[in-house]
Amino acid sequence: MPDPTLVSASRTSSRRRWAAAVTACLGLFLLGLDLTVLNVAVPGLRDGLDASMRQTEWIVDAYSLVLGGAVLSVGAVTDRLGRRRAFIGGLSGCAVASVFGALADAPGQVIAARAGMGAGAALLMPATLSIITGLFPEPGPRSRAIALWAAVGGLGGACGPLAGGWLVTRFSWRAAFWVNVPCATVAVLLALWLVPATRRTGGGRPDLAGAALSAAGLLALVWGIIEGPGRGWTSPLVLAVFALASLLLAAFAERQHRARAPMLPLHLLRRPRVSMAAAALALMSFALFGALFVATLYLQGVLGYTPWQAGIRTLPMPGGLVAGAALAAPLAARRGEKTTLLLGLAVVVAGFFILAGTRPGSGYGRLAAFQAVAGAGAGLMAPTATAAVMDAMPRAQAGLGSAINDATRQVGATLGVAVQGSVLAAAYTGRMNDALARAHAPASLAPAADNVLSAAHAAARLPAPSRALLLHSAEHAFVTGLTRTALVAGLVTLAAIAATWRWLPERERTGAADEQAVSASV
């Protein structure tokens, strides 16, 4: 029995298929935007809600927690539910939760709204890629469509600080929630008009126990990653949560091994093109999302830009992403997926080499160069690795393939922000405490050692000579942390290059065989 999406796609005009693909990408752009749109709104959130720093962090992180924890289990049922239904349901859930967030007047309410948005995103994210792959069964158009999908996904995350800065400066932090409602409404209407309705039939009863174990295990894992920097990676609670996550995920693997109709057939992960391409995506996400977090702090805390000005200065990364993604499909067709993937990762490493050369007084130029170069590498690598994962999956399980792709990227991104944030915080706090002690600073300046934004806030209340001294110390301390995070991210990307070169094979014939079978049946 062929995948009904492929049969439908064969009867759909090329123009309409591309319009449907753009609709799916619109949903993905909104999802990526929500991941990072609040990164520059932290001061406004703290002041507007009288929120503690811990509450503010969870307002930002609740979305990532639920998305990363639920995307695999929810994405696995996308094919059963229907890809268009999942797409519309995810968008609708994000829009409803956004309304609650915009109307909230307490930190706990905003955290709950962000968690609801993450649940909607977990349903939406796998649906976008499975719609794309279903619309384009032919290898050439599918590669171009996946490149578009990857570029738009990167653009959404990279443009989040820009959109957030403009909305917060012009209106308030609430506008970062309200903006989702009209965007989601337009995307839903377009999906009803353009995206074909499909639904996978058969395959046995859904593996609800497996879905529950997967969601619980990943939620525990992502929670531990988020809490690790604040509580300490060796704190008893964090270690206990990591142990719980390990037990739950081990139970999930055992369940999948024994189940008649497993949620995640483990033999799929034994395909090197699935496991290695997904691992490379996770490691790249670790490097780049952590760097984007650090860059946002550098722009506001060290260079002194407003949220809007800081957002404008993150544009080189999406620019690089678009340029790299435009080259990915033709380069992969000529040189092969493995070569293209390795080249993309090597360009990302070159970007981190540039960033690691930052010194006090470097200003914005070096950061802009890093963003452009690393963005171009990511644009080459991400669509190529995504295509490798999806081509190795049975077409009827495109939703599951997309969920694997999305879950690994999300866990990698969350871990990147947490680990690089920890490296940055340790270096910054150590250097600042030393500087404050040498200057015999009063106790009232102790919060300046917490983070660079607190230092800038404290400096604003000091007379000119003391202000300049504090800002100078904060810049030196932050740049020390920034260069260390760049080295960590560069080493992780080098590890991805080594693993990809060693274990990723060139294209298998799995996807092509599926296409031939579908063509014969049609």
Side-chain angles (χ1 to χ4, degrees), residues 317-397:
M317 183 168 284
L321 277 166
V322 171
L327 297 173
L331 186 60
R334 287 196 300 268
R335 300 295 185 183
E337 287 180 343
K338 185 172 182 176
T339 300
T340 305
L341 204 157
L342 288 170
L343 177 61
L345 288 171
V347 174
V348 172
V349 171
F352 280 109
F353 179 79
I354 293 171
L355 186 63
T358 303
R359 297 291 180 267
S362 290
Y364 171 66
R366 185 171 287 272
L367 180 63
F370 155 73
Q371 291 182 83
V373 173
L380 277 174
M381 181 270 180
T384 308
T386 300
V389 172
M390 298 305 293
D391 285 351
M393 297 291 296
R395 296 287 177 253
Q397 292 181 296

Side-chain angles (χ1 to χ4, degrees), residues 6 17-18 21 129-150 273 329 337 383-384 386-393 395 398 507-516:
L6 299 185
R17 281 196 285 168
W18 280 105
L129 184 54
S130 58
I131 287 171
I132 293 284
T133 56
L135 285 167
F136 297 95
E138 311 92 337
R142 184 176 63 246
S143 294
R144 292 193 294 273
I146 289 176
L148 173 66
W149 177 90
R273 291 185 74 242
E337 287 180 343
T384 308
T386 300
V389 172
M390 298 305 293
D391 285 351
M393 297 291 296
R395 296 287 177 253
R507 181 187 297 272
E508 295 171 349
R509 300 302 298 168
T510 305
D514 287 347
E515 289 160 10
Q516 291 170 2

Side-chain angles (χ1 to χ4, degrees), residues 236-333:
L237 179 58
V238 171
L239 291 176
V241 170
F242 280 139
L244 175 63
S246 300
L247 290 173
L248 289 169
L249 293 174
F252 168 70
E254 179 65 20
R255 165 77 187 181
Q256 300 311 286
H257 180 70
R258 296 182 179 277
R260 287 187 176 182
M263 184 194 92
L264 174 60
L266 295 181
H267 70 86
L268 295 175
L269 297 182
R270 288 193 287 269
R271 295 179 178 178
R273 291 185 74 242
V274 174
S275 56
M276 289 312 305
L281 281 167
L283 293 174
M284 186 202 69
S285 297
F286 173 100
L288 285 185
F289 275 84
L292 185 61
F293 169 76
V294 174
T296 302
L297 291 175
Y298 179 74
L299 288 167
Q300 291 187 265
V302 174
L303 300 185
Y305 293 119
T306 66
W308 166 240
Q309 292 170 333
I312 286 286
R313 284 162 177 80
T314 62
L315 284 178
M317 183 168 284
L321 277 166
V322 171
L327 297 173
L331 186 60

Side-chain angles (χ1 to χ4, degrees), residues 498-510:
T500 300
W501 179 80
R502 175 64 180 84
W503 288 298
L504 181 70
E506 287 290 357
R507 181 187 297 272
E508 295 171 349
R509 300 302 298 168
T510 305

Side-chain angles (χ1 to χ4, degrees), residues 148-229:
L148 173 66
W149 177 90
V152 170
L155 276 173
C159 290
L162 172 64
W166 185 80
L167 290 168
V168 169
T169 302
R170 190 170 180 85
F171 303 104
S172 77
W173 62 266
R174 298 181 188 275
F177 288 90
W178 282 122
V179 72
N180 290 329
V181 179
C183 294
T185 302
V186 169
V188 166
L189 293 175
L190 289 173
L192 290 170
W193 178 32
L194 295 168
V195 177
T198 60
R199 186 178 179 183
R200 177 186 167 198
T201 58
R205 299 179 63 183
D207 182 15
L208 298 180
L213 286 170
S214 167
L218 285 175
L219 280 168
L221 175 64
V222 176
W223 187 93
I225 291 171
I226 291 172
E227 286 290 299

Side-chain angles (χ1 to χ4, degrees), residues 482-505:
L482 182 149
T483 54
R484 291 180 185 178
T485 62
L487 290 172
V488 168
L491 289 172
V492 167
T493 312
L494 282 173
I497 291 175
T500 300
W501 179 80
R502 175 64 180 84
W503 288 298
L504 181 70

